Amino acid sequence: MSTSRRRLTQGLAAGAACLALPAGLSAPAAAAPSARSSRTPDSAALQAALEALVQWPVAGAVCAAASPAGLVELAAGRRSTASPAPARPQSVARVASVTKAMTATVAFQEIERGTLRLDSTIGEVLPGLWPGRESVTLGQLLNHTSGMPDAVWVLMDHVSLWDLPLEHVRDVVARSYPPRELVELAKQDGWWFEPGTDWGYSNTGYVVAQLMVEAAAGRPLSSLIRDRVFRPAGMHRTRLEEGALVRGAEMEDAAVRPGQTMRLQTIDQSVFAGAAAVNATAGDVVRFYQALMRGRLVGQASVDAMVTPVGAARAAAYGYGIFQVPDPVRAGEVLYGHDGGGFGSASLAVSSRDGSRAMAFTFVGRPYWAAGANEVWPRQTAVLRAAMSLSGTAGRPGGSAGRAAAGAAHAAVGGTRLG
């Protein structure tokens, strides 16, 4: 289980009954929101928590939350560490490994179509891709029990985020990586463990799952996920970015240490491919989880399978592209979602099983030192608690796509993981 996910689970379990905002943060009226598309009594506490999050090293954040009353989308701070331009509720951000649930959804669509199975092997679908590991299954790739090494770890020279030279980060994200090159990079490391015997988070496992899906469907993942996930879920400002394109006023990643800030103005997201390369508004991420949980993207039997940890993945509370965390406001209940660790941002998205309560947030200005991550951590969990505490009127529902009159975003889970 990754450090960041363990912190999330333990922190929520310990604080499920404690919904207070961080010390020093008073009533919502005291907050001066940078940007918002609606403000109601119910979203005021969430706006206040978001404003509290946006203190150095965090430059800006976007957040969306849904309750039975509707959807609110909010923002705080700036889009960039170098610009006074405010973050907007519908600003697009890199959501990193929140992508994994979307890629897993397309994989389960192929399973429902009969072109793949969870026990389909690399050797069956992609003969010759990884000699000696032909028996690794799609299911093991999707729930991180394959033992497949991670190309991102190779590219980072096996150095912890805390010790990584920021110039090296800049160089890594400056070039393009075809999916099969990522596989070849991962091969430079030894296999982590025998398939099915343990749990180890591998972005390259999702790259290989992407290749299996593309082989089965005869189409690239970028078009599959657009047509089968983004469009039916009403995610109109979301894309799987295969290069370094920035469109308009997007949130800008930044890696931050005391005395050093590195703007990552363009990141070639092919380094993550189908593992973590989606750019989206927070509202769109919430729409995804609501559509998924309500059976609009795959059948409910597939959703049940996706949210259920099996085998060695039980220890990590990880299903297929989705992990489980304790509900911070309803004791004994569970939320389903995923976190994301970008090179200069962090994200989190979770949902109740019925999709009636969901949230997503992202912040830019990721701390690259332990004390900074520890300082930001309680602010992130405060945003999560405030988002999942929404009740009553939460803004007007709008449009056939189920939009509301508010903003955008999604937050972050502290730790050293990338992807």
Side-chain angles (χ1 to χ4, degrees):
M1 191 174 192
S2 71
T3 301
S4 59
R5 188 164 301 110
R6 185 181 296 109
R7 289 184 73 189
L8 177 66
T9 301
Q10 292 174 345
L12 294 185
C18 179
L19 306 181
L21 295 174
L25 179 60
S26 57
S34 305
R36 59 188 183 274
S37 56
S38 74
R39 187 171 177 80
T40 72
D42 300 289
S43 64
L46 176 55
Q47 181 71 61
L50 201 64
E51 295 288 339
L53 171 63
V54 180
Q55 303 173 38
W56 186 86
V58 176
V62 288
C63 183
S67 74
L71 175 71
V72 292
E73 297 173 278
L74 305 168
R78 297 168 290 145
R79 292 197 302 268
S80 165
T81 57
S83 170
R88 298 294 184 187
Q90 293 179 349
S91 293
V92 171
R94 297 174 177 89
V95 302
S97 283
V98 172
T99 302
K100 286 184 170 66
M102 302 172 192
T103 297
T105 297
V106 179
F108 271 82
Q109 290 172 343
E110 288 304 310
I111 291 170
E112 291 183 343
R113 286 167 168 76
T115 62
L116 288 173
R117 311 176 310 279
L118 282 176
D119 62 0
S120 293
T121 66
I122 294 177
E124 291 171 345
V125 183
L126 301 168
L129 181 73
W130 203 310
R133 295 297 176 181
E134 293 90 348
S135 64
V136 170
T137 68
L138 176 64
Q140 290 167 341
L141 297 170
L142 293 176
N143 72 359
H144 300 295
T145 62
S146 70
M148 181 173 288
D150 192 349
V152 174
W153 186 233
V154 174
L155 288 167
M156 294 296 110
D157 290 339
H158 305 89
V159 174
S160 165
L161 201 66
W162 307 148
D163 302 316
L164 196 63
L166 298 189
E167 293 77 14
H168 183 70
V169 175
R170 179 196 57 206
D171 293 344
V172 165
V173 302
R175 54 153 296 197
S176 178
Y177 300 87
R180 287 179 181 260
E181 181 181 351
L182 293 173
V183 174
E184 294 305 311
L185 284 167
K187 289 178 182 178
Q188 295 179 21
D189 268 2
W191 204 265
W192 288 347
F193 50 80
E194 285 305 303
T197 64
D198 205 345
W199 190 88
Y201 192 88
S202 174
N203 289 297
T204 304
Y206 264 72
V207 174
V208 175
Q210 169 184 343
L211 292 172
M212 293 177 72
V213 167
E214 290 175 338
R219 293 173 57 192
L221 180 65
S222 57
S223 67
L224 290 169
I225 204 168
R226 179 196 64 212
D227 295 343
R228 295 185 187 175
V229 176
F230 301 159
R231 286 176 176 170
M235 302 165 68
H236 300 304
R237 301 196 66 196
T238 298
R239 68 185 189 276
L240 179 69
E241 182 52 66
E242 298 173 295
L245 182 63
V246 175
R247 301 183 184 182
E250 298 192 2
M251 302 291 284
E252 181 182 280
D253 277 33
V256 183
R257 285 192 180 125
Q260 185 180 19
T261 296
M262 176 163 288
R263 295 173 63 192
L264 299 171
Q265 296 167 274
T266 56
I267 298 174
D268 194 310
Q269 292 182 96
S270 63
V271 69
F272 286 135
V278 162
N279 292 6
T281 68
D284 274 2
V285 175
V286 168
R287 292 180 187 98
F288 163 72
Y289 270 99
Q290 291 187 306
L292 176 65
M293 294 300 174
R294 293 169 176 172
R296 290 168 45 204
L297 303 178
V298 292
Q300 287 292 356
S302 292
V303 181
D304 286 341
M306 290 178 68
V307 303
T308 304
V310 297
R314 292 193 185 98
Y318 198 96
Y320 297 100
I322 294 176
F323 67 79
Q324 300 179 355
V325 295
D327 190 320
V329 302
R330 296 188 181 182
E333 295 193 20
V334 175
L335 299 175
Y336 305 92
H338 213 290
D339 58 335
F343 286 97
S345 59
S347 304
L348 177 68
V350 295
S351 174
S352 60
R353 178 60 183 85
D354 64 0
S356 63
R357 299 162 59 239
M359 69 83 64
F361 75 102
T362 297
F363 71 75
V364 295
R366 184 176 183 183
Y368 268 59
W369 81 108
N374 290 336
E375 182 178 335
V376 173
W377 172 251
R379 303 183 217 158
Q380 299 172 189
T381 55
V383 172
L384 171 60
R385 292 190 182 103
M388 299 310 292
S389 298
L390 285 180
S391 61
T393 57
R396 297 174 303 169
S400 60
R403 299 179 182 177
H410 86 323
V413 175
T416 63
R417 182 171 58 71
L418 287 164

